[in-house]
Each structure stands twice: as C-alpha cells, then as structure tokens.
Amino acid sequence: CPPSFAMSKSRLLRDFPQLSHNLKYAMVFYEGQHNDSRTNIAIALTAAENGATVLNHAEVARLHKSPGGDGTISGAVVRDLLTHEEIAIKCKSVVMCGGPFTDELRDMEEVEEGGSKKPASKVINGAAGTHVVLPGYLCPRNCGMVDMATSDGRILFYLPWEGHTLVGTTDVKCDVTDRPIPTEEEIEWIIRETNNYLTSECRVTRKDVLSAWSGIRPLAVDPHADPNAPASRDHIVSVNPKTKAVFVAGGKWTTYREMAEDAIDKLLQAHPDLAAKASSCKSLSVPLLGAEGYSRTLPIQLSKEFNLPIQVCEHLARDYGGRAADVCALIGDVDATEEGDPRLLAAAYPYLKAEVRYACKEHARTVEDIISRRTRLAYLNVKDAKKVIPIVAEIMAEELKWSVEETQKQMADAVAFLDTFAGPEPAIAATQS
C-alpha cells in the first residue's frame, strides 16, 4: 500500500463533502475490502476442487474416541440439518474451526463412553458488534472514515460498501448465539457518533437506517499454553494433548492462509505418522476459484457480450471473477413486456435472477442462503430483502424440485431470519422477545 499522509481541510472536503467543515485535517491510510461471504464460498469450493469433501448445512453431533482407549479422537457423527440424517465419519485427526461456537465443539471432546461429560475449560468470550447500513449517498464511493476516539473510546468505521454506507461496529460482551439481534441502544449510539462528523445537511436519523445487524466476534485464549505465555493478539492454534484434536480461534481474513498452514503444522506435530506422509504446504500457490479468467477489463467484456449494465458487470466480476460468464449464461430468454429489467432480482441492486440458479449449483439450499450469503440484500436493506423472498423461492423451487409445502416453509424461515435484523424500525424479533 502507499504510505499514509496528511490531507488538508480543503482537499478533505473536496473528496468527502459529507464531512463537517469544523474538521481541521485528516490522516489518510489505505485498506482493502472484499465481499466476505463470497470469499468464504470461494475458499470452500476451491477446497472441493482440490479433493476435499465439503458439507453445507451440517453440524457435528458427536465425536468418537479411538477404541484403543488412548483418548484420541477417531471420528465424528455429522448431522444434515436439512434432512436430519446422521453420517458417521472415520478420521485420524480433527481440526475444530468453530468461531464463537468453539467451546461447544471442545465440550464434545470431554464426553466419555457412557455419556458422562465434564465441560472443557472456556476459551471463547463472545463480543457482539452491531453494524448499521445507510444510503450510499452519505459516503464517497472510494473512501471512508475511521474515528479512533469516540465518546467511550471505541473505534467507529464509516465506509462505502456494496453501493451503500456501512457504519460500525460496537463491542459488547454477550452470550454466543447463532441469531444475535441488534439493540436500539447500540444503533442509536452509532448514529450519535456518526453525526459528530457530518454536516447538518447529511445528519443521520433513525429512519435512514436501511438495515442493522449484530455479529459475534470470538475473543480467544489458549487453554493449553504455558501459564506465563503472553496473550495472543492474533489467531490461536492449540492441540489437546489428550485427544490430539486441534482447534483454531480468532484471526482475520487477511491471514486465513497463514491460519490454515499453522493449523495443519500443529496437527502434524501431534500426529507424527501423518507428518511422515505430508508434503510441504501449498496454500500460498493455490488460487481461489474465479481467479483464472479474471482481468480488470472483465466488466467491459461482460457488458459487451451479455448486454448488461456496467454496474451489474462490475458486481459480477468482483464477486465471481472468471466464473462471471457462467452466471450470465444462465440468464435465459427475457420477457420484453415486463417493466424495468426483468433479469434483475431487485430493481435497485446489481443482483441477477440468474445468480439464484447459479447459487443452487454451488450448493445453496435455502432462501436465507440467497438473501444473506449469496447476495447481500439482507445486510443492505431488510425491507427490500423481504420483497424478493417469493421470487427467490420460486426460482429455487424450480431448480431444487421443492414441493409446495417446502417452498412455503423456506419463505417462512427466511422471514423469521430477517426479523432478527433492524431497519428503519427495531428488529421484530427484539420486540417479540
């Protein structure tokens, strides 16, 4: 990245006119941005292309220990959450990458034959972070702001994201759940802090909030480390000396390849028999799915070949890389009698209906998958996400051969999921609880 530098007030307001004229200057630094959900999918699909067996909508139900009585983990029972089928898997080692749910996985290590259980020492402290999404006109397209000294010392980011403005995050200790709900107190705090830096014409109100959600960050400690070892400021990779199972916690997107290499190195240390067969790590030389065929002019190529708006093509190139043309190939015939562009999933967004069909080929199995992880509609505008649920369900029902009953269930589940998001009004799930 280029070096940081000081920017004068006049240049600052020219580049970022939404900011208050009371500011004296700014320090500029460079940062990267990505669609984290798409990166995650690309990693999983790249692993599958390289020989891994990848399961979607599955969870570990039980861990099995070696019949030899040495206490090592030798298998697992995995439950399919869609069919409720249980699958027994034999293995020589287990790596646990459970994020905020790591303690639940580690508790399974302590289950003895006969079902007796002693809880594992706690290694995860959950911290809830609330994010708020505002209209895109409140932030320049290519730069954002960070406040390193908010009223209570927390850091606030104000960034362009997916054509909108993303503001966050808070940091509050919480219990770990798969459906965290943003509180009105946290949303109002973000709005207040944001308004400290905006002009009076751009001040944010509660009605400006298009979507607000909460996520849980796992703050981890190593239970197997030397008591005198310093606290880790990065990811933790640790092995249970009794079960030989490895767990990974903490970390960040920019070091995910390093985390993977560290985890496998730790596993091989615990299993010398596997180390003898292992080759050197290839993580740094394996490109992610979509890297091949990508170029900076890909959006232009797509626009010319498929007669699509350039904004749509920029989104496709950014999220699918060299696979973007495969998505476009699923567009099919267009009904010219429909209003607007019938190829789009929602009029104000770059998402194509063809992306729903393509996602089904990439193992998307629920409407929630589409509105939250394959597109980002839930995180951009909760009301618009609810509007597309019937369209998504109809396409998925055709692709996956759903019954009428399954289609209705999928729609109801997607609405319940969106009820944990706030918009211009509080989250419905919060008011019900």
Side-chain angles (χ1 to χ4, degrees):
C1 288
S4 300
F5 64 93
M7 180 181 284
S8 67
K9 177 177 179 177
S10 59
R11 171 69 186 278
L12 172 64
L13 296 179
R14 187 165 68 247
D15 289 357
F16 207 140
Q18 296 89 341
L19 291 179
S20 167
H21 290 209
N22 294 328
L23 297 174
K24 296 182 179 180
Y25 72 97
M27 292 300 298
V28 177
F29 66 94
Y30 293 85
E31 185 59 276
Q33 191 177 76
H34 68 141
N35 181 342
D36 57 333
S37 180
R38 189 65 210 169
T39 300
N40 187 49
I41 293 165
I43 293 170
L45 294 175
T46 303
E49 279 202 335
N50 284 271
T53 298
V54 179
L55 299 183
N56 194 16
H57 291 285
E59 68 178 8
V60 176
R62 297 180 297 281
L63 294 175
H64 286 167
K65 294 187 176 179
S66 172
D70 60 0
T72 58
I73 301 295
S74 61
V77 174
V78 175
R79 182 181 297 118
D80 184 326
L81 296 177
L82 300 179
T83 65
H84 306 294
E85 176 189 3
E86 290 193 345
I87 307 164
I89 300 172
K90 294 182 179 180
C91 66
K92 295 187 177 180
S93 185
V94 168
V95 180
M96 303 178 185
C97 308
F101 302 98
T102 297
D103 283 333
E104 292 185 29
L105 289 171
R106 294 185 63 251
D107 280 345
M108 295 182 190
E109 290 184 272
E110 305 301 325
V111 177
E112 302 295 339
E113 296 299 328
S116 61
K117 176 180 178 181
K118 182 182 72 173
S121 55
K122 188 176 176 66
V123 301
I124 297 295
N125 294 310
T130 295
H131 300 73
V132 166
V133 168
L134 305 169
Y137 55 71
L138 289 172
C139 187
R141 186 178 180 184
N142 62 350
C143 72
M145 174 190 73
V146 57
D147 179 6
M148 311 291 272
T150 60
S151 59
D152 62 5
R154 290 183 283 184
I155 295 176
L156 186 81
F157 289 92
Y158 186 92
L159 305 169
W161 182 66
E162 300 288 323
H164 293 65
T165 302
L166 175 65
V167 192
T169 175
T170 58
D171 192 11
V172 180
K173 289 183 179 180
C174 68
D175 294 328
V176 174
T177 172
D178 62 349
R179 287 288 188 263
I181 301 172
T183 67
E184 284 300 298
E185 179 183 4
E186 295 296 291
I187 294 172
E188 292 290 353
W189 180 86
I190 289 175
I191 292 173
R192 284 196 308 273
E193 296 296 327
T194 297
N195 283 334
N196 289 335
Y197 289 89
L198 300 180
T199 65
S200 57
E201 298 88 350
C202 296
R203 285 188 178 276
V204 177
T205 69
R206 183 64 183 81
K207 292 298 182 182
D208 290 321
V209 176
L210 302 176
S211 184
W213 74 93
S214 181
I216 298 177
R217 183 163 60 101
L219 305 177
V221 295
D222 187 350
H224 306 125
D226 187 307
N228 298 319
S232 172
R233 296 184 181 275
D234 202 345
H235 59 274
I236 290 173
V237 180
S238 183
V239 60
N240 186 325
K242 295 188 298 182
T243 66
K244 305 298 183 184
V246 175
F247 82 83
V248 185
K252 51 194 174 185
W253 279 110
T254 50
T255 59
Y256 81 87
R257 291 181 186 263
E258 179 186 0
M259 292 167 66
E261 183 173 354
D262 288 350
I264 298 303
D265 286 348
K266 184 71 73 171
L267 182 151
L268 295 178
Q269 290 174 16
H271 295 271
D273 56 322
L274 296 178
K277 305 174 185 177
S279 60
S280 59
C281 178
K282 297 181 177 64
S283 178
L284 289 178
S285 62
V286 177
L288 291 183
L289 193 77
E292 184 178 352
Y294 174 79
S295 72
R296 295 180 67 181
T297 61
L298 180 58
I300 299 173
Q301 298 171 46
L302 295 171
S303 183
K304 285 177 172 289
E305 182 175 354
F306 296 99
N307 192 29
L308 288 166
I310 192 63
Q311 295 89 344
V312 172
C313 297
E314 288 171 348
H315 147 68
L316 293 172
R318 186 169 58 246
D319 281 10
Y320 299 93
R323 298 295 178 100
D326 296 339
V327 179
C328 295
L330 299 176
I331 292 175
D333 296 331
V334 175
D335 185 354
T337 63
E338 292 187 38
E339 293 185 8
D341 190 336
R343 298 169 296 182
L344 296 178
L345 188 59
Y349 302 89
Y351 304 121
L352 296 171
K353 292 176 183 176
E355 291 181 71
V356 181
R357 299 190 188 279
Y358 189 78
C360 292
K361 301 179 186 301
E362 286 189 334
H363 313 300
R365 286 299 177 267
T366 68
V367 173
E368 179 189 325
D369 283 342
I370 301 297
I371 62 175
S372 65
R373 292 176 285 276
R374 305 313 176 96
T375 72
R376 310 317 303 269
L377 271 173
Y379 297 94
L380 296 176
N381 190 312
V382 68
K383 287 188 174 182
D384 286 348
K386 286 186 177 181
K387 291 177 185 177
V388 305
I389 286 175
I391 302 171
V392 172
E394 180 182 1
I395 297 171
M396 296 190 78
E398 181 181 332
E399 290 290 321
L400 302 177
K401 312 304 179 188
W402 285 345
S403 65
V404 173
E405 293 76 16
E406 177 63 21
T407 304
Q408 293 295 326
K409 178 182 180 299
Q410 287 283 341
M411 293 172 64
D413 288 347
V415 170
F417 167 71
L418 290 177
D419 285 348
T420 65
F421 286 66
E425 295 83 30
I428 293 175
T431 59
Q432 290 175 343
S433 61

